[in-house]
Amino acid sequence: MICCRPSRRALLRWSAIAAGASLLPGTARADGGAVRPVNLELVTVTETTAVLTWYTGVPGTDDGLGRMRPAPSDAEVLYGTDPSRLTSVAHGPSGTPYHYVELTGLEPGRTYYYRARSAGQDAAPTWLAFGTAAGTPQGDVFAFTTPQPPPGRHLFSIALCNDLHLGETVAGLVGQLPWIKGIEQAPGHPPYPEVMARALIEDARSRGATYLLAAGDVSSEAAPADLRSAKGILDTFGTLGGDYLVARGNHDRAHSGTAYGACSPGSWQGNDCFKDAFFPSGRTYFSHDLRGLRVIGLDTYDKPGDGGDSGGLSADQRAWFEAELAKEPDRPTLVFGHHPLFTENDPLAITGAHSLDAGQSLRILAAYNRTPGVFLHHAGHTHRNQRSTFPLAPRVVQQEVGAVKEYPGGFTLLRVHTGGYALNFYKTRSDEARAWSERSRQELSGQWPQLSLGNRPTDRNTVVARDFSGLG
């Protein structure tokens, strides 16, 4: 389910978008050929690597979700530093319609040109109304430029993730509009939240993450069995409170009803099964030392409610948070919590449910401006990749990260160096994860990539200089 319930005005806006979907570029059927490669996306660009994904389908068919039926094919990327001389070739696995190709051995600060192909045909990019998904078009090829690495020595890496939604069975439900179809897992396949969460752990480890931060909505509706499942999967990464840390989301709030009756009473309502699962001996917000880095986890639904309104901190949590920041204002500090402070370029932001209470957000930004050590605020809830900075605290980057549980389906890797940091979003890449990610991109009548992938390359990939020489 996309958080949270939008207003009638927002739904009407989306109705207009969906009604015009047939007019968007790239929707015409191919005239011939057994395979058509589409949905090309340049997902990740680091100083030495790039990740490309796309899909191959049978032209002229419909799988019932508004996309071509999947057609297994080969995958290759031709690339080079001259658009007329693509002399290097990279291949992905053949025999799948869900293609994932990683270019390696690239040089920092170089512009590369490429074309991605299946069955000898160039892949068409995902069309974004306000951005580009596949890089910069250069005639019949695409271009991207690798960044310089963060200055200094690499210290450690942290996987930033959110919105696992263990227990969910239908993705993409918004309101009651008949043109919006929820997306279910294909028959005979494992539940998609479990598929995506297990792929997250595998890929985060293989990408070098030593630590993991899960910024809320680890469950669909905080049912005890779903919370046990979520914790069991996260425990395969490491130890709670040491290797990984968790914050509460609005879906993880205390609930009422017989299914929750065995859990401890909630501070505001019902029974708090999330607290029992992840914070059995203390409060649901915290400060944690991670090799000298101060990591602050916020409970952004520390309030009564049904989960469909703005997030908020209790008065006690606000006082604790501001006091914690004031203790060591220059110490390198990362804050994470479920709700963003504010959401930029979000057509559903008018609902007021996509961020923290505005007054609290302004107060937090003022506190950040008094705390030079804060450099990053990681949030989920919007299920999208979006990098924002705000005038009240211009040194702090707010990074919203796409949901684990659905398209684009992945996590952001924070690589900390002595002289700065890099943020790179990765799609999870197991066979089941790639299949579900491509299936769930059909949410909102196929328009979900417009909101979730990230319109700018910097929404998914950035490098920032910063002095972290005091970290271990």
Side-chain angles (χ1 to χ4, degrees), residues 39-363:
N39 301 342
L40 174 64
E41 294 169 1
L42 176 65
V43 182
T44 312
V45 179
T46 76
E47 58 270 23
T48 59
T49 66
V51 175
L52 296 147
T53 63
W54 68 94
Y55 172 73
T56 46
V58 180
T61 64
D62 190 318
D63 70 346
L65 298 175
R67 65 172 186 170
M68 296 179 291
R69 290 201 305 269
S73 187
D74 64 329
E76 69 173 0
V77 177
L78 310 178
Y79 65 101
T81 56
D82 186 314
S84 62
R85 296 181 66 251
L86 305 182
T87 55
S88 297
V89 183
H91 294 277
S94 295
T96 177
Y98 313 109
H99 303 291
Y100 190 111
V101 179
E102 184 163 1
L103 312 184
T104 60
L106 306 181
E107 298 180 26
R110 294 293 299 270
T111 297
Y112 288 86
Y113 304 86
Y114 79 93
R115 56 173 16 120
R117 304 194 306 187
S118 289
Q121 301 180 63
D122 286 356
T126 295
W127 184 80
L128 298 181
F130 302 106
T132 56
T136 305
Q138 298 283 336
D140 60 352
V141 299
F142 293 93
F144 64 88
T145 301
T146 54
Q148 293 294 334
R153 175 173 53 91
H154 176 255
L155 296 172
F156 52 86
S157 297
I158 305 172
L160 309 178
C161 66
N162 41 263
D163 296 281
L164 286 70
H165 287 236
L166 268 294
E168 183 179 283
T169 58
V170 183
L173 294 177
V174 179
Q176 303 298 319
L177 294 186
W179 52 262
I180 293 183
K181 291 183 179 181
I183 308 294
E184 298 181 59
Q185 176 64 291
H189 292 258
Y192 62 83
E194 295 180 16
V195 166
M196 301 304 280
R198 294 187 189 283
L200 157 72
I201 301 303
E202 180 179 354
D203 275 18
R205 279 297 190 194
S206 68
R207 295 290 182 188
T210 308
Y211 308 99
L212 182 145
L213 307 181
D217 279 5
V218 299
S219 68
S220 174
E221 290 298 333
D226 297 334
L227 290 164
R228 285 195 298 271
S229 179
K231 187 174 184 300
I233 293 172
L234 290 168
D235 281 348
T236 64
F237 184 86
T239 303
L240 173 64
D243 302 308
Y244 77 92
L245 304 169
V246 176
R248 187 202 301 270
N250 55 302
H251 281 267
D252 304 316
R253 70 193 182 279
H255 284 62
S256 300
T258 56
Y260 306 94
C263 299
S264 301
S267 298
W268 303 101
Q269 62 201 16
N271 297 91
D272 199 344
C273 302
F274 173 82
K275 184 176 184 298
D276 289 352
F278 290 101
F279 298 92
S281 59
R283 62 195 178 197
T284 53
Y285 47 92
F286 56 88
S287 180
H288 178 80
D289 180 88
L290 198 164
R291 295 174 61 173
L293 175 68
R294 178 171 54 179
V295 177
I296 296 178
L298 299 179
D299 180 346
T300 64
Y301 212 79
D302 187 8
K303 51 169 282 182
D306 65 359
D309 53 352
S310 299
L313 313 185
S314 65
D316 287 348
Q317 185 179 179
R318 291 199 305 271
W320 169 85
F321 182 39
E322 293 183 12
E324 177 64 27
L325 291 176
K327 282 182 187 175
E328 299 176 89
D330 295 315
R331 182 179 177 182
T333 299
L334 183 162
V335 180
F336 78 108
H338 188 61
H339 293 76
L341 302 176
F342 292 102
T343 55
E344 296 183 314
N345 306 318
D346 180 2
L348 298 183
I350 58 174
T351 66
H354 269 201
S355 58
L356 276 175
D357 171 82
Q360 291 193 17
S361 294
L362 290 171
R363 185 167 175 169

